[in-house]
Amino acid sequence: MKSSPRRNFVVNLTPDEYVNQLFQEDELLLKVKEAIRANGMPEVSVAAAYGRLLTFLAKTAKAEAALEIGVLGGYSGICLARGLSEGGILTSLELKEEYAAMARGHLEEGGFGDKVEYRIGPAADSLEQLVQEGRTFDFFFIDADKENYPVYLDYAIRLARPGAVIVGDNCFLRGRTLNPDKQGPAVLAVRRFNEQMASDPRLVTTMLPDYDGLVLAWVR
């Protein structure tokens, strides 16, 4: 009797490792990560599987006007732009002009140069300008300085169209929000953000406990 050929299996993968093997990053997204690394920027782009989720959510929401708070090198912007409806626009808020310039280059390379506008400076100031301009949005992604997360959420709700989706990243702060001994300003702010997302009657909310925590809300 012939024996079956032996196969090499990788065992004991974590769920994150398994998902990342199934859904690998494409060349453009890998290039963004490499540029961030080469320029000494913080390597804090959204996790690969969450990037795909952003595209999925934007497509599902049929997003026409998305607002991104925190740009870095353009990784999440590419993921969001890929999910926009035909003719949709992504408005990206970034404190540092050099980060926005890198992101713009990557989105142009991906064919999304006409789908994105950048506003440079403190995000709270840009958000107030958007309110004064009467702008509204149907998709929000918050991934910036953590101490201002509650401020960004308040503005997102003010700027939201009915049925808009709000997504916030890093809601566990690598475990610090789960540790009662951690009481720093960023931790306290993210806890307030999480608690408001969970309890605000204007929102229907859930949280994904993978990677560093992703909280999602639907605006009534």
Side-chain angles (χ1 to χ4, degrees):
M1 175 187 255
K2 287 187 178 180
S3 61
S4 299
R6 297 185 64 182
R7 297 180 182 177
N8 294 321
F9 290 98
V10 177
V11 296
N12 297 326
L13 287 174
T14 68
D16 293 350
E17 290 169 339
Y18 179 74
V19 169
N20 287 335
Q21 283 192 9
L22 283 176
F23 303 104
Q24 296 185 14
E25 296 163 300
D26 58 37
E27 184 177 342
L28 179 58
L29 294 176
L30 290 173
K31 183 174 182 178
V32 173
K33 283 189 169 180
E34 177 55 34
I36 289 171
R37 187 178 304 113
N39 284 273
M41 297 161 63
E43 296 183 45
V44 292
S45 297
V46 65
Y50 277 171
R52 294 182 69 90
L53 179 60
L54 289 177
T55 303
F56 175 87
L57 290 171
K59 280 188 174 293
T60 302
K62 299 180 180 179
E64 298 177 348
L67 177 64
E68 173 189 32
I69 306 175
V71 169
L72 195 59
Y75 191 107
S76 58
I78 291 168
C79 296
L80 290 167
R82 287 173 172 172
L84 290 175
S85 297
E86 186 70 27
I89 294 294
L90 171 65
T91 300
S92 295
L93 311 185
E94 174 54 52
L95 178 64
K96 298 185 177 183
E97 188 169 355
E98 62 270 27
Y99 287 8
M102 178 186 288
R104 183 188 299 276
H106 287 138
L107 267 83
E108 288 176 349
E109 184 175 347
F112 304 116
D114 61 343
K115 286 182 172 289
V116 61
E117 62 167 336
Y118 292 92
R119 301 207 177 197
I120 312 301
D125 294 346
S126 296
L127 289 164
E128 181 59 32
Q129 291 171 3
L130 292 169
V131 169
Q132 296 302 319
E133 292 169 14
R135 296 281 297 275
T136 59
F137 300 87
D138 49 24
F139 199 99
F140 301 83
F141 181 53
I142 302 172
D143 188 16
D145 55 302
K146 309 312 174 191
E147 292 183 30
N148 280 313
Y149 262 38
V151 174
Y152 300 154
L153 177 57
D154 287 340
Y155 272 109
I157 294 172
R158 290 172 64 186
L159 291 163
R161 301 171 183 173
V165 173
I166 301 174
V167 181
D169 195 21
N170 304 121
C171 295
F172 294 159
L173 287 180
R174 294 175 174 80
R176 285 182 288 158
T177 57
L178 314 180
N179 184 346
D181 294 331
K182 301 295 184 181
Q183 297 292 324
V187 173
L188 295 177
V190 172
R191 284 187 186 134
R192 289 197 303 273
F193 173 85
N194 293 342
E195 290 161 4
Q196 183 178 348
M197 286 282 270
S199 62
D200 194 305
R202 296 169 292 181
L203 305 175
V204 178
T205 308
T206 190
M207 180 179 283
L208 303 183
D210 294 315
Y211 297 98
D212 198 26
L214 195 75
V215 63
L216 306 94
W218 180 83
V219 182
R220 296 182 188 275

